[in-house]
Amino acid sequence: MTIQSVLEFADNQRGDNLNALIEFLRIPSISTLPQHQPDIERAANWLADRMRSIGLDRVHLIPTAGHPVVYGEWAEAGPQAPTMLVYGHYDVQPVDPEDEWISPPFEPTVRDGNLYARGTSDDKGQLFAQVAAAEAFLRAEGALPVNLKFFVEGQEESGGDLGPVIEQHSALLACDAVVISDDCFLNAQTPKIATGVRGCAYMEVEIQGPRQDLHSGGYGGVAHNPLQVAVEMLAALHDEQGRVAIPGFYDSVLPLPEDEREAWGRIPFDQEKFRQQEVGAPALWSGEQGYSIRERIGARPTLDIHGIRGGFTGDGQKTVIPANVVIKVSMRLVPDQDPGEIARLFEQRIRQLAPPTVQIQVRTLSRAYPAVVDHSAPAIQAAVAAYRQGFGMEPVFVRGGGSLPVVANFIRLLQVPVVMMGFGLPDDNLHSPNEKFNLDHFYGGINTSIHFMNNMASL
Ligand SMILES: [Zn+2]
């Protein structure tokens, strides 16, 4: 098999691949809005048809508690060849505020070398690069160098838990590595391979004080205001060193490997540019002492307050003591914190902080495991080489700050490395108006995926 013919095929196919992606993007498969249910089905069927037409076998929809997974495979590379599983998602985020889009979100438009539409970068365009790479092998050479499986979900943006589906179908999904293209470069010159995702425990606390809302003239100073209780409790969740002040919170946190810290330290990072362009605040918070900004984002656990509901928040004034307040808090977790255990420690801390003047209810809204991938794994090294071959660039390893439960599920349930090989750019406007995907990154992503499969085959 010569990879040259495959790359040539992909080059000649650029126009067709762009047109097919545009067709896929026209389907408004917004998974969080029930009225788009028929579009979700259309997108799933469109993808299944595409998989069949390029020559994948056993293409079918796997039902889940939410939207179906699209599965397809090519298993003729033989038992000696490695098996690679490609994960992606065909659902997209809502588009509001729609009037901020320069071209309509579901009318894909090319401007300045970028393709604009909802889902271009997250994740239809990046996923389609993998599909196009498989097609190039099958059409140019009649075969793939690896056994390949596609597992493409439709509820990534609506937070569905795929753990039970992966567990139930673990025999079907058995593989040597999972590859995910649903991420972005560090900057235009530097691809990044994410070697970690943080876990998450999202909590809601309801604070019930008086039976009904009271007037502060009549009861202020006597009834313990639940808003005051809320801010007193929330203020006690960090200590003066910026650490999360929940007993036991750090007990199972694995120390950061020194070689990883050194490697991160060598990645250029302009703190002032980061403050101005990304954060936009007058100054950065000093956060947890003893850790760099990159370490605090990806490799250390954090706690954030997301909302306080209660009392009067309209224009003007109202001297109310609210009866009921709800607070929302999430904690980003790192290996080996267990989200269930962290939720338990959080509840214990909240109950310890709660005064006898209120009643408290604590609810866990969602949980996700953290995960790390060993960057010396052969599949990761195959990805490093693929970026050199496909983009002519040297990737760096970074631990991502976000939570991707599916990554942790693959690592935990299939016991394989996950290669997070993204093709987007940091300014792709994911989840925002004017989402885009750079066309050079689309075609470069196809080439990189071709090289990756080829590199995997020679491991
Ligand atoms: Zn995504």
Side-chain angles (χ1 to χ4, degrees):
M1 177 177 298
T2 70
I3 194 172
Q4 211 45 47
S5 66
V6 179
L7 292 166
E8 263 165 37
F9 180 91
D11 263 356
N12 294 331
Q13 194 75 0
R14 283 183 171 200
D16 289 349
N17 278 331
L18 178 60
N19 287 335
L21 173 58
I22 286 174
E23 229 181 272
F24 193 20
L25 288 165
R26 282 187 195 281
I27 307 170
S29 47
I30 303 171
S31 57
T32 53
L33 303 175
Q35 66 267 35
H36 285 283
Q37 173 73 28
D39 299 316
I40 283 282
E41 280 162 32
R42 268 170 66 212
N45 286 316
W46 186 94
L47 185 60
D49 286 346
R50 184 80 193 173
M51 286 186 188
R52 282 185 200 103
S53 77
I54 68 166
L56 297 186
D57 303 316
R58 288 176 83 184
V59 176
H60 64 283
L61 303 190
I62 300 175
T64 74
H67 305 309
V69 167
V70 184
Y71 178 88
E73 67 173 38
W74 193 86
E76 289 165 50
Q80 301 305 318
T83 299
M84 213 179 103
L85 181 117
V86 177
Y87 161 86
H89 61 94
Y90 63 83
D91 64 325
V92 300
Q93 278 276 318
V95 296
D96 49 285
E98 203 167 346
D99 56 358
E100 287 182 23
W101 286 78
I102 294 166
S103 50
F106 296 109
E107 289 176 28
T109 308
V110 176
R111 285 195 301 277
D112 305 328
N114 295 309
L115 178 62
Y116 285 86
R118 172 58 87 228
T120 44
S121 185
D122 183 18
D123 173 44
K124 285 174 174 170
Q126 297 198 48
L127 162 70
F128 195 82
Q130 297 279 1
V131 177
E135 179 185 15
F137 272 109
L138 290 170
R139 293 238 198 270
E141 291 289 326
L144 285 157
V146 292
N147 298 304
L148 187 64
K149 299 175 176 183
F150 278 94
F151 181 84
V152 185
E153 70 156 305
Q155 51 188 14
E156 198 271 344
E157 306 292 5
S158 56
D161 178 13
L162 272 190
V165 179
I166 295 171
E167 202 161 11
Q168 189 192 341
H169 297 277
S170 57
L172 180 70
L173 304 180
C175 60
D176 299 294
V178 173
V179 59
I180 304 180
S181 296
D182 188 15
D183 200 352
C184 67
F185 280 33
L186 185 72
N187 56 48
Q189 295 77 38
T190 320
K192 93 180 170 214
I193 297 173
T195 54
V197 292
R198 288 198 290 185
C200 191
Y202 200 116
M203 311 297 295
E204 185 176 81
V205 181
E206 190 165 347
I207 304 165
Q208 180 71 42
R211 193 185 322 112
Q212 63 205 20
D213 286 2
L214 299 174
H215 192 301
S216 69
Y219 304 95
V222 179
H224 198 173
N225 188 324
L227 277 170
Q228 185 183 342
V229 173
V231 295
E232 285 167 354
M233 293 200 308
L234 290 172
L237 294 178
H238 285 100
D239 69 13
E240 265 149 35
Q241 279 73 48
R243 288 165 55 95
V244 177
I246 295 175
F249 185 79
Y250 292 94
D251 283 2
S252 49
V253 172
L254 294 177
L256 288 181
E258 268 316 309
D259 63 331
E260 228 174 315
R261 293 191 82 171
E262 274 164 33
W264 290 335
R266 285 196 298 272
I267 301 171
F269 180 70
D270 184 335
Q271 182 168 327
E272 183 52 19
K273 193 173 157 201
F274 172 75
R275 179 193 72 76
Q276 275 190 17
Q277 295 185 358
E278 291 194 42
V279 181
L284 293 176
W285 183 43
S286 52
E288 187 185 8
Q289 305 297 289
Y291 294 93
S292 71
I293 289 173
R294 205 184 291 285
E295 288 166 353
R296 275 183 271 143
I297 291 173
R300 294 295 297 170
T302 52
L303 178 149
D304 270 282
I305 302 156
H306 303 297
I308 305 176
R309 187 176 72 219
F312 179 70
T313 55
D315 290 333
Q317 53 181 0
K318 181 182 179 191
T319 53
V320 63
I321 296 174
N324 181 281
V325 167
V326 173
I327 59 187
K328 289 173 187 281
V329 171
S330 84
M331 292 156 285
R332 296 285 174 174
L333 312 177
V334 300
D336 275 335
Q337 289 176 303
D338 178 293
E341 170 67 3
I342 292 296
R344 194 187 66 75
L345 292 172
F346 175 86
E347 174 161 4
Q348 189 174 296
R349 174 68 169 149
I350 287 291
R351 294 206 175 281
Q352 174 202 6
L353 290 168
T357 50
V358 294
Q359 281 181 320
I360 298 280
Q361 273 185 43
V362 181
R363 294 182 280 267
T364 306
L365 299 189
S366 70
R367 294 192 293 209
Y369 280 91
V372 279
V373 185
D374 180 357
H375 59 73
S376 63
I380 298 281
Q381 293 307 317
V384 171
Y387 275 120
R388 286 185 195 133
Q389 295 154 325
F391 280 95
M393 294 174 189
E394 189 67 24
V396 294
F397 299 119
V398 172
R399 287 205 205 172
S403 300
L404 282 167
V406 74
V407 171
N409 279 328
F410 283 131
I411 293 173
R412 273 182 341 114
L413 301 170
L414 301 182
Q415 310 255 308
V416 293
V418 173
V419 182
M420 285 176 267
M421 191 171 72
F423 305 130
L425 283 168
D427 63 353
D428 277 349
N429 299 320
L430 309 186
H431 301 200
S432 304
N434 305 310
E435 180 178 346
K436 62 143 176 86
F437 191 27
N438 184 283
L439 288 179
D440 289 338
H441 279 242
F442 178 45
Y443 304 129
I446 295 171
N447 287 350
T448 303
S449 302
I450 290 170
H451 284 293
F452 180 67
M453 290 182 210
N454 202 47
N455 297 343
M456 283 291 290
S458 53
L459 285 183

